[in-house]
């Protein structure tokens, strides 16, 4: 029974700030990230304004072959997303594991994902509204 409990215990994940990584204690499995500033739209006082925010760009996840299938990549992602959430960061899921596997399996984390296209879509929506409300009546 002791062996079963140990096998079920989640691995210890540590943040290596110097190298920009979340990693297992043995440093063999890791999630590499870069911090960068991005511009987001924020509503303040009823108006949309551009605001700088720190984003954690998750660029690479690695788990050695002999440790694959144990859920380590998922644990690394949870540690990174939890850190981003606690520090009011947004996440850029550049790594294909994060974007194509982790997020579809864990959609609750999608609220932290930076959606660059949202800014341009909001602007396009505003332009279409302006056209519809102000210009198109002249053609009726």
């Amino acid at each position: 029974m002791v062996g079963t409990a140990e096998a079920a215990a989640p691995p210890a994940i540590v943040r290596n700030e110097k190298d920009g990584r979340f990693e297992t204690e043995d440093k063999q499995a890791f999630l590499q990230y870069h911090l960068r500033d991005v511009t987001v739209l924020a509503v303040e006082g009823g108006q949309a304004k551009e605001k700088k925010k720190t984003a954690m760009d998750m660029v690479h996840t690695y788990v050695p072959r002999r440790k694959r299938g144990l859920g380590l990549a998922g644990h690394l992602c949870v540690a990174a997303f939890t850190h981003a959430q606690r520090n009011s960061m947004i996440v850029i899921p550049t790594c294909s594991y994060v974007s194509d596997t982790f997020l579809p399996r864990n959609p609750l984390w999608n609220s932290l994902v930076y959606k660059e296209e949202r800014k341009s879509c909001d602007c396009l929506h505003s332009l279409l509204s302006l056209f519809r409300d102000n210009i198109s009546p002249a053609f009726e």
Side-chain angles (χ1 to χ4, degrees):
M1 282 300 213
V2 173
T4 305
E6 287 177 14
I13 305 295
V14 294
R15 180 171 172 237
N16 178 340
E17 187 174 2
K18 180 178 134 287
D19 293 334
R21 291 169 32 148
F22 286 88
E23 54 195 22
T24 52
E25 286 183 309
D26 63 7
K27 301 182 187 293
Q28 292 183 3
F30 61 87
L31 183 150
Q32 183 82 42
Y33 67 89
H34 302 294
L35 297 180
R36 60 185 189 150
D37 290 330
V38 295
T39 302
V40 296
L41 287 178
V43 178
E44 294 177 11
Q47 292 185 328
K49 296 183 179 187
E50 289 187 347
K51 182 178 173 182
K52 292 274 187 200
K53 195 153 178 143
T54 301
M56 178 185 287
D57 188 353
M58 298 180 186
V59 295
H60 183 62
T61 305
Y62 175 76
V63 176
R65 283 193 189 278
R66 70 184 188 292
K67 293 187 175 189
R68 291 181 187 167
L70 303 174
L72 288 177
H75 288 293
L76 291 163
C77 288
V78 167
F81 272 88
T82 300
H83 178 80
Q85 184 178 50
R86 288 182 181 157
N87 290 279
S88 301
M89 295 180 199
I90 54 180
V91 171
I92 300 170
T94 301
C95 169
S96 61
Y97 174 80
V98 177
S99 63
D100 300 344
T101 302
F102 180 77
L103 285 170
R105 291 178 183 172
N106 301 276
L108 290 176
W109 291 112
N110 282 329
S111 63
L112 294 181
V113 174
Y114 176 61
K115 294 170 182 66
E116 190 172 25
E117 69 277 358
R118 182 179 290 167
K119 181 178 172 184
S120 59
C121 287
D122 287 344
C123 292
L124 180 60
H125 178 70
S126 297
L127 287 172
L128 289 173
S129 295
L130 178 66
F131 177 76
R132 185 183 59 239
D133 297 342
N134 297 317
I135 298 172
S136 60
F139 294 105
E140 291 179 354

